[in-house]
Amino acid sequence: KQEVTQIPAALSVPEGENLVLNCSFTDSAIYNLQWFRQDPGKGLTSLLLIQSSQREQTSGRLNASLDKSSGRSTLYIAASQPGDSATYLCAVIFAGANSKLTFGKGITLSVRP
Amino acid sequence: GAGVSQTPSNKVTEKGKYVELRCDPISGHTALYWYRQSLGQGPEFLIYFQGTGAADDSGLPNDRFFAVRPEGSVSTLKIQRTERGDSAVYLCASSLRVSTDTQYFGPGTRLTVL
């Protein structure tokens, strides 16, 4: 079964800390991987998209890496701020999956002032 | 330009009733997706449209669920004989093309079945 796993489910850090959010997936044959942010009661905001041929993508303080062979991706957040507090979801389009995203359960991040 | 919009934002209905949820994708996006998110879970795929046709409806849980996109733009998700277990946030997304493109999500419709 093709699955995406995010551990831990929750994380609390002090403001200013650099942090890494992990994502693992069961099948290395993927089209792409997306990281999303979700604020309470809101929809999903796309943060970064990594194609299967790419190793990483960067946007501002965010950097996402992809290692298909090990089935892992990491989202690196530099100099975390209280405004970064949200749930971060990793999602994969597996090859042959007709464009449907398979999501992890997310990591709820709290950045303490 | 405008993002993906969904109406209503909240829908409360009674068990056994029929509901329709609407999605307006980003203009020009050919692919449209429906997902369902239960509390504490990631979204789960329901159905995806390429143009007017349903390219993959393998995520629809049963035949009470149906979706249409008659003109290749707006889509409606229809749920018959609603059950309490249908309560969730229904999310719509669109992308310019398929597979390799970013999916942009709407704010969702929170459905509560009493």
Side-chain angles (χ1 to χ4, degrees):
Chain A
K1 184 181 177 183
Q2 294 169 329
E3 293 181 335
V4 177
T5 302
Q6 294 183 257
I7 296 173
L11 189 61
S12 180
V13 301
E15 181 176 5
E17 190 162 301
N18 301 322
L19 56 99
V20 173
L21 306 182
N22 293 307
C23 170
S24 62
F25 46 94
T26 53
D27 189 341
S28 61
I30 67 171
Y31 283 128
N32 62 42
L33 182 146
Q34 267 185 268
W35 281 94
F36 293 90
R37 168 183 173 141
Q38 187 171 34
D39 293 283
K42 305 291 185 184
L44 279 66
T45 299
S46 179
L47 298 174
L48 290 164
L49 170 72
I50 311 178
Q51 303 292 354
S52 62
S53 59
Q54 298 173 324
R55 294 288 298 218
E56 66 177 341
Q57 284 287 340
T58 298
S59 176
R61 294 184 294 111
L62 305 180
N63 175 277
S65 67
L66 174 64
D67 184 343
K68 285 192 304 179
S69 61
S70 66
R72 292 181 185 179
S73 175
T74 61
L75 179 66
Y76 175 83
I77 303 176
S80 58
Q81 303 170 357
D84 295 330
S85 298
T87 296
Y88 291 82
L89 292 146
C90 170
V92 171
I93 297 181
F94 290 102
N98 269 336
S99 301
K100 59 187 177 189
L101 287 166
T102 299
F103 282 84
K105 292 184 179 181
I107 298 173
T108 299
L109 173 66
S110 175
V111 181
R112 308 186 300 272
Chain B
V4 178
S5 62
Q6 293 185 245
T7 55
S9 56
N10 279 285
K11 176 71 176 178
V12 180
T13 190
E14 294 180 344
K15 180 174 178 290
K17 299 291 187 182
Y18 168 84
V19 297
E20 289 189 352
L21 311 179
R22 177 188 168 107
C23 172
D24 281 83
I26 294 172
S27 178
H29 280 194
T30 61
L32 184 147
Y33 313 80
W34 284 99
Y35 294 84
R36 179 168 73 171
Q37 186 175 25
S38 300
L39 193 63
Q41 304 293 316
E44 293 182 332
F45 170 81
L46 296 176
I47 185 170
Y48 129 70
F49 289 88
Q50 177 59 35
T52 60
D56 184 348
D57 64 358
S58 61
L60 295 178
N62 50 60
D63 61 6
R64 295 187 297 105
F65 288 74
F66 188 72
V68 295
R69 193 186 186 199
E71 298 178 356
S73 177
V74 171
S75 176
T76 304
L77 179 65
K78 307 180 180 189
I79 310 174
Q80 298 177 326
R81 305 183 303 280
T82 52
E83 300 177 356
R84 293 192 179 88
D86 298 335
S87 297
V89 176
Y90 289 80
L91 295 165
C92 176
S94 70
S95 66
L96 188 59
R97 295 168 303 224
V98 300
S99 296
T100 57
D101 288 348
T102 299
Q103 293 186 23
Y104 296 93
F105 280 76
T109 293
R110 181 175 298 279
L111 175 66
T112 303
V113 182
L114 301 176

